[in-house]
Amino acid sequence: MLVFAKIKSIQQKIKSLPKGTTVGFVPTMGALHQGHISLVERAKKENDLVVVSIFVNPTQFDREEDLVNYPKTIDADLSLLKSVFCDLVFTPTAEEIYSNNIKSASFNFDGLEHQMEGKFRLGHFDGVGTIVKRLFEIVTPTKAYFGEKDFQQLQIIKKMVVKNQLHVKIVPCDIFREEDGLAMSSRNARLTKEHRNIAPFIFKTLKQAKIEFGTKNALEVMQWVENEFKKQPLLELEYFEMADEETLLPIKTKNKTQKYRAFIAVFAGNIRLIDNISL
Ligand code: PAF
């Protein structure tokens, strides 16, 4: 496994690959867990070579505290990647990516950016768009792998690829969960014991909301979820929304031909957790 911190050196390596080599890319912010590894393993199966990037992107954080406290476990990350035979790892510094201008570009994702996370994390998707576009330019992957836990991010990246005519296939990957149902996230490591114990309540409620959606309308299900969280003092519901999978617009009336998903963001202490379920 080769590790590169400089753009020029990883580009040189990628350019030196035999013509036609397929490159699978898994962009990450490090603090790797089994969810990331499942993406790497899938990328390994579907490509000649796998590149993983580890970069905690400052422009996508709306809360300074979240950026400063984001877990950084580079040695463990590299050992884990080596154990699954990752080929190349890109670990740039913020200066390498942004020079001395740590700023996002401005994107128009046709409104996807204004829903859910976009309402609560101002500028977040401009930051994500900026870094993912830059990483795609550097790595020039054939396919790039994204987990469905960040479903809105996934739809936004797909939109960016279409709008900018980028030559990369975006591969959505199922959410990887702990045994008790909690969606895997680098942030889980920062939960207190108490919050970790209660966190599976999030997915349990999503699963029940899916059942409730069989007999109730969207507004009734939302009210049901809000009530469930009122009974749970250790978790604070930020939003629960049910939306069309493609447009991410909230459901008005149920339509059999559309695909819907329920989305949730919850604070467990000061750790923000998100999850979603297909309805
Ligand atoms: O999902 C993430 O970990 C990040 O948003 C990503 C895609 C690596 C961009 O920084």
Side-chain angles (χ1 to χ4, degrees), residues 235-247:
L235 299 174
E236 192 194 326
L237 180 65
E238 187 169 53
Y239 68 75
F240 171 80
E241 285 213 19
M242 302 168 84
D244 179 277
E245 275 200 5
E246 291 305 314
T247 62

Side-chain angles (χ1 to χ4, degrees), residues 27-29 57 60 131-132 146 150 153:
T28 81
M29 298 207 296
N57 173 38
Q60 72 187 75
I131 187 60
V132 173
F146 293 87
D150 297 289
Q153 164 174 285

Side-chain angles (χ1 to χ4, degrees), residues 143-174:
K143 293 184 181 177
Y145 296 78
F146 293 87
E148 287 189 338
K149 183 173 83 66
D150 297 289
F151 193 85
Q152 187 172 9
Q153 164 174 285
L154 170 69
Q155 296 301 56
I156 277 175
I157 289 165
K158 280 201 221 157
K159 178 71 76 179
M160 182 181 79
V161 166
V162 171
K163 284 191 124 180
N164 291 276
Q165 301 178 339
L166 305 179
H167 299 288
V168 51
K169 183 175 170 8
I170 302 301
V171 184
C173 301
D174 288 346

Side-chain angles (χ1 to χ4, degrees), residues 14 22 51 60 67-68 80 104 109 112 121 129 143-144 158 181 184 194 203 206 212-213 219 221 242 260 265 272 274:
I14 290 171
T22 55
V51 181
Q60 72 187 75
L67 171 61
V68 173
L80 204 53
S104 306
F109 298 115
L112 294 176
R121 304 185 66 190
K143 293 184 181 177
K158 280 201 221 157
M184 286 200 187
E194 258 188 322
F203 184 52
L206 278 182
E212 300 289 325
F213 190 59
L219 189 66
V221 179
M242 302 168 84
Y260 300 116
R272 189 171 182 277
I274 60 169

Side-chain angles (χ1 to χ4, degrees), residues 42-62:
R42 177 149 179 208
K44 235 11 262 163
K45 274 196 204 124
E46 298 181 357
N47 300 276
D48 298 325
L49 179 131
V50 174
V51 181
V52 172
S53 63
I54 298 178
F55 178 61
V56 182
N57 173 38
T59 62
Q60 72 187 75
F61 285 82
D62 58 326

